[in-house]
Short mmCIF file of all heavy atoms in Angstrom, two decimals:
data_model
loop_
_atom_site.label_atom_id
_atom_site.label_comp_id
_atom_site.label_asym_id
_atom_site.label_seq_id
_atom_site.Cartn_x
_atom_site.Cartn_y
_atom_site.Cartn_z
N ILE A 104 9.12 4.63 10.42
CA ILE A 104 9.04 4.70 11.88
C ILE A 104 9.39 6.10 12.39
O ILE A 104 8.87 6.55 13.40
CB ILE A 104 9.92 3.60 12.53
CG1 ILE A 104 9.59 3.45 14.01
CG2 ILE A 104 11.38 3.87 12.32
CD1 ILE A 104 8.26 2.82 14.29
N ARG A 107 6.43 8.44 12.97
CA ARG A 107 5.43 8.11 13.99
C ARG A 107 5.52 9.10 15.13
O ARG A 107 6.59 9.33 15.68
CB ARG A 107 5.62 6.68 14.48
CG ARG A 107 4.47 6.22 15.34
CD ARG A 107 4.32 4.74 15.44
NE ARG A 107 5.48 4.09 16.01
CZ ARG A 107 5.58 2.78 16.16
NH1 ARG A 107 4.62 1.98 15.78
NH2 ARG A 107 6.67 2.27 16.69
N ALA A 111 1.99 2.74 18.56
CA ALA A 111 0.85 1.82 18.58
C ALA A 111 0.77 1.16 19.95
O ALA A 111 1.75 1.12 20.70
CB ALA A 111 1.03 0.75 17.50
N SER A 113 0.34 -1.94 20.18
CA SER A 113 1.00 -3.21 19.92
C SER A 113 2.51 -3.07 20.08
O SER A 113 3.09 -2.04 19.75
CB SER A 113 0.67 -3.66 18.49
OG SER A 113 1.51 -4.70 18.11
N LYS A 114 3.16 -4.11 20.55
CA LYS A 114 4.62 -4.10 20.70
C LYS A 114 5.32 -4.70 19.48
O LYS A 114 6.53 -4.80 19.43
CB LYS A 114 5.03 -4.90 21.95
CG LYS A 114 4.45 -4.33 23.23
CD LYS A 114 5.03 -2.96 23.52
CE LYS A 114 4.50 -2.45 24.85
NZ LYS A 114 4.41 -1.04 24.92
N GLU A 115 4.54 -5.11 18.48
CA GLU A 115 5.13 -5.73 17.30
C GLU A 115 5.88 -4.67 16.49
O GLU A 115 5.53 -3.49 16.51
CB GLU A 115 4.02 -6.38 16.47
CG GLU A 115 3.37 -7.53 17.21
CD GLU A 115 2.00 -7.88 16.68
OE1 GLU A 115 1.57 -7.30 15.67
OE2 GLU A 115 1.35 -8.72 17.29
N PRO A 116 6.91 -5.06 15.78
CA PRO A 116 7.71 -4.09 15.02
C PRO A 116 6.92 -3.46 13.88
O PRO A 116 5.96 -4.05 13.38
CB PRO A 116 8.88 -4.93 14.49
CG PRO A 116 8.37 -6.33 14.49
CD PRO A 116 7.39 -6.42 15.63
N PHE A 117 7.34 -2.27 13.50
CA PHE A 117 6.73 -1.59 12.36
C PHE A 117 7.52 -1.97 11.11
O PHE A 117 8.71 -1.65 11.01
CB PHE A 117 6.75 -0.07 12.57
CG PHE A 117 6.11 0.68 11.44
CD1 PHE A 117 4.75 0.67 11.26
CD2 PHE A 117 6.90 1.38 10.53
CE1 PHE A 117 4.16 1.35 10.22
CE2 PHE A 117 6.32 2.07 9.48
CZ PHE A 117 4.95 2.05 9.31
N PRO A 118 6.89 -2.65 10.17
CA PRO A 118 7.62 -3.11 8.99
C PRO A 118 7.90 -1.98 8.00
O PRO A 118 7.06 -1.12 7.77
CB PRO A 118 6.67 -4.14 8.36
CG PRO A 118 5.31 -3.70 8.80
CD PRO A 118 5.49 -3.09 10.16
N SER A 119 9.09 -1.99 7.42
CA SER A 119 9.43 -0.98 6.42
C SER A 119 9.02 -1.42 5.02
O SER A 119 8.95 -0.60 4.11
CB SER A 119 10.93 -0.68 6.46
OG SER A 119 11.65 -1.86 6.16
N ALA A 120 8.75 -2.70 4.83
CA ALA A 120 8.36 -3.21 3.51
C ALA A 120 7.50 -4.46 3.69
O ALA A 120 7.33 -4.96 4.80
CB ALA A 120 9.58 -3.53 2.68
N ARG A 122 4.23 -4.79 3.33
CA ARG A 122 3.16 -4.37 4.23
C ARG A 122 2.06 -3.70 3.44
O ARG A 122 2.25 -3.22 2.33
CB ARG A 122 3.69 -3.37 5.25
CG ARG A 122 4.03 -2.04 4.58
CD ARG A 122 4.63 -1.03 5.51
NE ARG A 122 4.76 0.28 4.86
CZ ARG A 122 5.57 1.21 5.26
NH1 ARG A 122 6.33 1.03 6.33
NH2 ARG A 122 5.63 2.37 4.62
N LEU A 124 -0.48 -0.60 4.56
CA LEU A 124 -0.92 0.37 5.56
C LEU A 124 -2.30 0.84 5.16
O LEU A 124 -2.56 1.09 3.98
CB LEU A 124 0.02 1.58 5.60
CG LEU A 124 1.40 1.35 6.20
CD1 LEU A 124 2.23 2.62 6.10
CD2 LEU A 124 1.29 0.91 7.64
N ARG A 142 -3.36 -4.52 12.39
CA ARG A 142 -3.11 -4.15 13.78
C ARG A 142 -2.77 -2.66 13.81
O ARG A 142 -2.32 -2.10 12.81
CB ARG A 142 -1.98 -4.97 14.38
CG ARG A 142 -0.66 -4.82 13.68
CD ARG A 142 0.41 -5.72 14.31
NE ARG A 142 1.58 -5.83 13.48
CZ ARG A 142 2.55 -4.93 13.38
NH1 ARG A 142 2.49 -3.82 14.08
NH2 ARG A 142 3.59 -5.13 12.60
N PRO A 143 -3.00 -1.99 14.94
CA PRO A 143 -2.68 -0.56 15.01
C PRO A 143 -1.18 -0.33 14.79
O PRO A 143 -0.35 -1.08 15.29
CB PRO A 143 -3.05 -0.17 16.44
CG PRO A 143 -3.90 -1.28 16.95
CD PRO A 143 -3.55 -2.50 16.19
N ALA A 144 -0.87 0.69 14.01
CA ALA A 144 0.53 1.05 13.76
C ALA A 144 0.91 2.34 14.48
O ALA A 144 2.08 2.65 14.61
CB ALA A 144 0.77 1.22 12.26
N PHE A 147 0.84 8.94 12.66
CA PHE A 147 1.98 9.34 11.86
C PHE A 147 1.82 10.75 11.32
O PHE A 147 0.71 11.17 11.00
CB PHE A 147 2.17 8.37 10.68
CG PHE A 147 2.65 7.02 11.09
CD1 PHE A 147 1.78 6.09 11.63
CD2 PHE A 147 3.98 6.68 10.95
CE1 PHE A 147 2.22 4.84 12.03
CE2 PHE A 147 4.44 5.44 11.35
CZ PHE A 147 3.55 4.51 11.88
N VAL A 160 -1.65 -1.54 10.09
CA VAL A 160 -0.71 -2.27 9.24
C VAL A 160 -1.05 -3.76 9.20
O VAL A 160 -1.48 -4.34 10.19
CB VAL A 160 0.76 -2.07 9.73
CG1 VAL A 160 0.98 -2.61 11.12
CG2 VAL A 160 1.75 -2.65 8.73
N TRP A 161 -0.87 -4.32 8.01
CA TRP A 161 -0.95 -5.77 7.85
C TRP A 161 0.33 -6.23 7.19
O TRP A 161 0.72 -5.75 6.12
CB TRP A 161 -2.14 -6.20 7.00
CG TRP A 161 -2.14 -7.70 6.77
CD1 TRP A 161 -1.89 -8.67 7.69
CD2 TRP A 161 -2.39 -8.38 5.54
NE1 TRP A 161 -1.97 -9.92 7.12
CE2 TRP A 161 -2.27 -9.76 5.79
CE3 TRP A 161 -2.69 -7.96 4.25
CZ2 TRP A 161 -2.47 -10.72 4.80
CZ3 TRP A 161 -2.90 -8.92 3.27
CH2 TRP A 161 -2.78 -10.28 3.54
N GLN A 162 1.01 -7.11 7.87
CA GLN A 162 2.15 -7.82 7.31
C GLN A 162 1.91 -9.26 7.67
O GLN A 162 1.52 -9.55 8.81
CB GLN A 162 3.46 -7.33 7.93
CG GLN A 162 4.67 -8.03 7.36
CD GLN A 162 5.97 -7.56 8.01
OE1 GLN A 162 6.00 -7.25 9.19
NE2 GLN A 162 7.02 -7.53 7.24
N LYS A 163 2.10 -10.15 6.74
CA LYS A 163 1.85 -11.55 7.04
C LYS A 163 2.61 -11.94 8.30
O LYS A 163 3.79 -11.63 8.44
CB LYS A 163 2.26 -12.43 5.87
CG LYS A 163 1.31 -12.30 4.71
CD LYS A 163 1.63 -13.09 3.47
CE LYS A 163 2.52 -14.26 3.60
NZ LYS A 163 2.76 -14.96 2.35
N VAL A 164 1.94 -12.58 9.24
CA VAL A 164 2.52 -12.89 10.54
C VAL A 164 3.82 -13.65 10.40
O VAL A 164 4.81 -13.35 11.07
CB VAL A 164 1.51 -13.68 11.41
CG1 VAL A 164 2.15 -14.18 12.69
CG2 VAL A 164 0.31 -12.82 11.72
N ASP A 166 6.01 -13.40 8.23
CA ASP A 166 7.09 -12.49 7.79
C ASP A 166 7.77 -11.84 8.98
O ASP A 166 8.99 -11.83 9.06
CB ASP A 166 6.55 -11.41 6.85
CG ASP A 166 6.21 -11.94 5.48
OD1 ASP A 166 6.59 -13.09 5.18
OD2 ASP A 166 5.56 -11.20 4.72
N TRP A 167 7.03 -11.28 9.92
CA TRP A 167 7.69 -10.59 11.02
C TRP A 167 8.11 -11.54 12.11
O TRP A 167 9.11 -11.34 12.77
CB TRP A 167 6.88 -9.41 11.55
CG TRP A 167 5.58 -9.70 12.22
CD1 TRP A 167 4.36 -9.68 11.66
CD2 TRP A 167 5.38 -10.04 13.59
NE1 TRP A 167 3.41 -10.00 12.59
CE2 TRP A 167 4.01 -10.22 13.78
CE3 TRP A 167 6.23 -10.22 14.68
CZ2 TRP A 167 3.46 -10.57 15.00
CZ3 TRP A 167 5.68 -10.56 15.90
CH2 TRP A 167 4.32 -10.73 16.05
N LYS A 168 7.39 -12.63 12.33
CA LYS A 168 7.78 -13.57 13.39
C LYS A 168 9.06 -14.30 13.02
O LYS A 168 9.85 -14.65 13.89
CB LYS A 168 6.66 -14.57 13.66
CG LYS A 168 5.57 -13.99 14.53
CD LYS A 168 4.66 -15.06 15.05
CE LYS A 168 3.68 -14.45 16.03
NZ LYS A 168 2.69 -15.40 16.48
N SER A 169 9.29 -14.53 11.73
CA SER A 169 10.49 -15.27 11.32
C SER A 169 11.76 -14.45 11.54
O SER A 169 12.84 -15.00 11.50
CB SER A 169 10.37 -15.66 9.84
OG SER A 169 10.42 -14.51 9.03
N ARG A 170 11.64 -13.17 11.81
CA ARG A 170 12.81 -12.32 12.01
C ARG A 170 13.29 -12.31 13.46
O ARG A 170 14.31 -11.72 13.77
CB ARG A 170 12.50 -10.90 11.55
CG ARG A 170 12.22 -10.85 10.08
CD ARG A 170 11.84 -9.49 9.65
NE ARG A 170 11.36 -9.59 8.27
CZ ARG A 170 11.14 -8.56 7.50
NH1 ARG A 170 11.37 -7.36 7.94
NH2 ARG A 170 10.70 -8.73 6.28
N PHE A 171 12.55 -12.93 14.36
CA PHE A 171 12.90 -12.90 15.78
C PHE A 171 13.15 -14.27 16.32
O PHE A 171 12.76 -15.25 15.86
CB PHE A 171 11.79 -12.20 16.59
CG PHE A 171 11.61 -10.78 16.17
CD1 PHE A 171 10.65 -10.41 15.26
CD2 PHE A 171 12.46 -9.80 16.67
CE1 PHE A 171 10.49 -9.09 14.86
CE2 PHE A 171 12.32 -8.49 16.28
CZ PHE A 171 11.33 -8.14 15.38
#
Side-chain angles (χ1 to χ4, degrees):
I104 194 71
R107 190 159 60 182
S113 167
K114 299 294 183 209
E115 296 160 5
F117 181 73
S119 61
R122 69 184 188 200
L124 289 177
R142 60 182 166 80
F147 289 79
V160 62
W161 176 44
Q162 180 181 35
K163 288 178 21 179
V164 172
D166 287 348
W167 66 264
K168 280 194 174 175
S169 67
R170 296 177 190 192
F171 298 96

